[in-house]
Amino acid sequence: MRKPHHHKPSPANGALVPSPAPGTELAIREDLIDKARDLGENALAPGTRREYAKAWKKFEAWCERHGRIPLPTGIDTLTAYIIWLESGQDKERSLAISYINVLIAAVKSAHRAKGYILDTKNPALERVWAGARRKIAARRTI
């Protein structure tokens, strides 16, 4: 007895694209890749991109002066950077908490853009940053 013949969807029978062989996928169209790249590049506002670029340069310079690797960086390096920022960056006064948040976000964003994951929710890092915020806030209210 002959088995019934089942047709897979194909351009000739109404599907948009031919069905790939089992276990394979068709390549994503180049125009969709270009659109995804464009959308990704525009995920941040131009002002945010400029601030992150400046913040990243600041972090790279700090890493160079302190013999640390900026990309990919480790939690210990980011923690030391936060401590340096809190302690006044070798100056008399620390930066504002909100600006340090921008610096941290910029470092995280730079890592993400290059395919690295920087766990800014690391418990040790979060504890140091929480303590730094308290010290900065206490100094700024005086």
Side-chain angles (χ1 to χ4, degrees), residues 16-21 23-34:
L16 296 176
V17 294
S19 295
T24 64
E25 292 183 328
L26 295 175
I28 295 174
R29 293 186 345 231
E30 195 64 34
D31 65 316
L32 294 177
I33 293 170
D34 290 342

Side-chain angles (χ1 to χ4, degrees), residues 61-112:
W62 181 88
C63 285
E64 187 173 321
R65 282 192 312 275
H66 293 88
R68 306 302 297 180
I69 298 171
L71 191 68
T73 199
I75 293 300
D76 55 340
T77 299
L78 186 56
T79 301
Y81 185 57
I82 290 170
I83 293 166
W84 179 75
L85 294 169
E86 178 276 324
S87 64
Q89 321 164 78
D90 303 327
K91 298 178 184 172
E92 293 180 18
R93 187 173 175 169
S94 64
L95 297 170
I97 293 168
S98 59
Y99 188 64
I100 297 175
N101 277 327
V102 170
L103 296 170
I104 294 168
V107 172
K108 184 176 181 176
S109 179
H111 279 70
R112 191 179 310 123

